[in-house]
């Protein structure tokens, strides 16, 4: 008969400390009493943990603003942003954004630039990210201790190797290794939609939902999956390429080598066709057209009817396959007129067996806007280092 291993006191303390840090990082300021309730720990344990973190400068205790209630207010435990700072990088097809993000999720500073011509080449992007990070960190007087990078492509999670990012024309780029070798900090590189799903789950529309899918439509279409409260990553990190579901036999050729892929019907080029715009229309003009169209719900549904049908068909497949409680629409899909989104949601509930079984899958737009993948990259970095803060 074998006995069950018993955790050592130092292991228990480390676990409790990390759990408390994660709660403060995601949920923000809290009282000791609330922390004790949320974590299921007694008040003396919470006192010891908070006192230690305050002494180390990781948290601060402060009296909240005066309220109307009687009695002495409880001290709030606040995460200190400069106690742990990470680098977040959002690499898009036409744009790169970087940010230095502090403990608690506060963006301390940011920079961005457009990609065109040679600037899209991997060497140029990597060099510019490193240089911009060095300048930004110097200006802010901070030093990142880890980095998360969002990439629109197929990424090997273990070492950040970009197997393929077709819209960037990247193949076999050792992104994690190259950035880590210069910045000398841990680097986690992830697929952009996966990191978007993490951000929505922790800080956005999917907060509190244990099963959700984030659908991102940009130049391409990708998906991030939250299953039973955790990000679904697959064996090597290759998961979520829902844009390459083949849904239209004999459809348009896709850069992936197939044809009739979902993203050929709901990606940026397809949206331009639906709006009677040239496929190379600037992003700003597409957004303007969609917002103007949203002023007339009837016209919006009529003009985007075919686009909505293809969006519905893909979402029915996603819901039937993954059974999420919630689908969050990101990037260009967030600007679709409300009437179109409501119509699509109703059709998905009507046509999906699984949606009906789970009580009607909700379909909503992202709550985090353009920062969703940047915040997701930051959370990926914090995931690596919070237990060392």
């Amino acid at each position: 008969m074998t006995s069950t291993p018993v955790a050592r006191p130092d292991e228990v303390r480390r676990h409790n400390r990390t759990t408390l840090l994660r709660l403060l990082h995601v949920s923000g300021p809290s009282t000791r009493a609330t922390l004790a309730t949320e974590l299921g720990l007694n008040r003396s344990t919470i006192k010891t943990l908070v006192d230690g973190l305050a002494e180390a400068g990781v948290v601060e205790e402060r009296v909240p603003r005066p309220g109307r209630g009687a009695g002495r207010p409880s001290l709030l435990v606040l995460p200190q942003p400069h106690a742990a700072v990470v680098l977040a990088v959002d690499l898009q097809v036409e744009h790169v954004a970087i940010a230095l993000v502090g403990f608690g999720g506060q963006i301390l500073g940011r920079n961005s630039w457009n990609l065109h011509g040679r600037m899209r080449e991997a060497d140029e992007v990597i060099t510019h990210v490193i240089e911009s990070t060095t300048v930004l960190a110097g200006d802010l007087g901070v030093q990142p201790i880890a980095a998360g990078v969002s990439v629109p492509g197929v990424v090997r999670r273990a070492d950040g190797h970009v197997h393929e990012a077709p819209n960037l024309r990247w193949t076999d780029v050792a992104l994690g290794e190259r950035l880590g070798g210069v910045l000398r900090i841990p680097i986690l590189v992830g697929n952009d939609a996966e990191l978007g799903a993490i951000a929505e789950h922790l800080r956005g529309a999917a907060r509190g939902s244990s099963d959700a899918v984030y659908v991102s439509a940009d130049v391409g279409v990708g998906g991030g999956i939250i299953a039973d409260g955790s990000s679904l990553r697959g064996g090597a990190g290759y998961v979520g390429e829902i844009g390459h579901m083949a849904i239209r036999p004999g459809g348009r050729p896709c850069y992936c080598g197939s044809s009739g892929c979902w993203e050929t019907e709901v990606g940026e080029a397809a949206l331009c066709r639906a709006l009677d715009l040239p496929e190379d229309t600037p992003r700003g003009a597409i957004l303007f057209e969609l917002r103007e169209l949203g002023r007339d719900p009837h016209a919006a549904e009529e003009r985007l009817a075919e686009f909505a049908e293809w969006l519905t068909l893909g979402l029915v497949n996603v819901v039937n396959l993954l059974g999420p409680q919630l689908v969050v629409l990101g990037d260009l899909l967030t600007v679709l007129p409300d009437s179109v989104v409501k119509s699509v949601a109703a059709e998905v509930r009507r046509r999906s067996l699984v949606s009906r079984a789970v009580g009607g899958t909700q379909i909503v737009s992202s709550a985090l806007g353009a920062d969703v993948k940047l915040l997701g990259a930051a959370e990926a970095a914090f995931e690596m280092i919070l237990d060392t803060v």
Side-chain angles (χ1 to χ4, degrees):
M1 181 177 178
T2 57
S3 59
T4 303
V6 177
R8 299 195 304 269
D10 59 329
E11 292 175 338
V12 173
R13 281 193 296 272
R14 191 180 305 114
H15 170 78
N16 289 341
R17 184 179 188 275
T18 300
T19 304
L20 187 150
L21 285 172
R22 290 189 187 281
L23 182 60
L24 286 172
H25 173 65
V26 174
S27 300
S30 184
T31 64
R32 291 189 182 193
T34 300
L35 291 172
T37 300
E38 291 284 338
L39 300 178
L41 299 173
N42 61 52
R43 294 198 176 197
S44 63
T45 299
I46 291 295
K47 180 181 185 306
T48 300
L49 290 170
V50 171
D51 287 348
L53 291 170
E55 186 176 344
V58 178
V59 303
E60 176 188 10
E61 289 194 279
R62 187 185 303 165
V63 177
R65 293 178 180 178
R68 296 182 180 178
R72 182 179 176 182
S74 299
L75 291 174
L76 280 178
V77 182
L78 294 88
Q80 294 300 286
H82 287 77
V85 177
V86 303
L87 168 66
V89 181
D90 178 16
L91 174 55
Q92 301 178 27
V93 176
E94 299 175 346
H95 179 84
V96 177
I98 70 168
L100 292 173
V101 183
F103 175 49
Q106 180 180 339
I107 294 179
L108 304 176
R110 63 169 79 208
N111 191 14
S112 62
W113 60 94
N114 293 327
L115 296 180
H116 48 82
R118 289 188 64 250
M119 291 291 290
R120 279 198 181 92
E121 295 178 8
D123 288 348
E124 294 292 330
V125 171
I126 291 168
T127 298
H128 205 153
V129 166
I130 291 168
E131 291 175 349
S132 295
T133 298
T134 302
V135 171
L136 185 59
D139 288 346
L140 295 172
V142 299
Q143 185 61 44
I145 58 176
V149 184
S150 167
V151 177
V154 180
V155 180
R156 188 167 63 208
R157 184 90 178 195
D159 58 3
H161 183 90
V162 180
H163 173 67
E164 191 173 1
N167 287 316
L168 285 168
R169 296 183 173 85
W170 285 16
T171 303
D172 290 327
V173 176
L175 184 58
E177 179 183 320
R178 292 177 65 179
L179 285 175
V182 177
L183 296 175
R184 299 192 178 282
I185 55 177
I187 308 284
L188 193 150
V189 183
N191 171 267
D192 58 349
E194 176 201 341
L195 298 185
I198 291 172
E200 289 291 347
H201 181 233
L202 293 177
R203 300 188 179 278
R207 190 167 184 170
S209 179
S210 59
D211 295 282
V213 175
Y214 173 76
V215 179
S216 165
D218 198 287
V219 174
V221 173
I225 304 159
I226 302 296
D228 198 20
S230 298
S231 178
L232 184 63
R233 292 167 181 160
Y238 305 144
V239 72
E241 290 296 331
I242 59 175
H244 297 288
M245 294 186 297
I247 64 167
R248 184 170 191 169
R252 288 177 173 82
C254 181
Y255 63 78
C256 74
S258 185
S259 61
C261 290
W262 192 29
E263 73 176 44
T264 66
E265 301 298 338
V266 297
E268 183 178 72
L271 191 51
C272 286
R273 292 194 302 270
L275 294 169
D276 297 320
L277 298 172
E279 290 190 7
D280 59 353
T281 297
R283 177 64 57 83
I286 300 172
L287 299 180
F288 176 80
E289 189 74 15
L290 285 170
R291 291 185 179 115
E292 286 297 302
L293 192 57
R295 297 175 185 271
D296 185 340
H298 178 73
E301 290 186 51
E302 188 174 82
R303 195 167 170 192
L304 294 175
E306 185 177 355
F307 180 90
E309 174 61 21
W310 289 115
L311 180 59
T312 299
L313 180 58
L315 289 176
V316 167
N317 288 336
V318 168
V319 171
N320 280 343
L321 180 65
L322 299 170
Q325 303 165 327
L326 179 70
V327 173
V328 181
L329 304 179
D331 289 320
L332 283 170
L333 299 179
T334 65
V335 198
L336 290 176
D338 288 344
S339 60
V340 173
V341 174
K342 289 177 181 177
S343 175
V344 167
E347 276 297 290
V348 170
R349 286 191 288 271
R350 184 181 72 83
R351 292 157 61 175
S352 167
L353 175 68
V354 172
S355 177
R356 296 196 300 273
V358 299
T361 300
Q362 284 188 288
I363 298 177
V364 300
S365 295
S366 168
L368 299 176
D371 281 342
V372 60
K373 293 165 187 176
L374 200 64
L375 293 173
E379 293 306 327
F382 276 114
E383 184 179 312
M384 294 188 289
I385 53 87
L386 268 184
D387 60 350
T388 66
V389 172

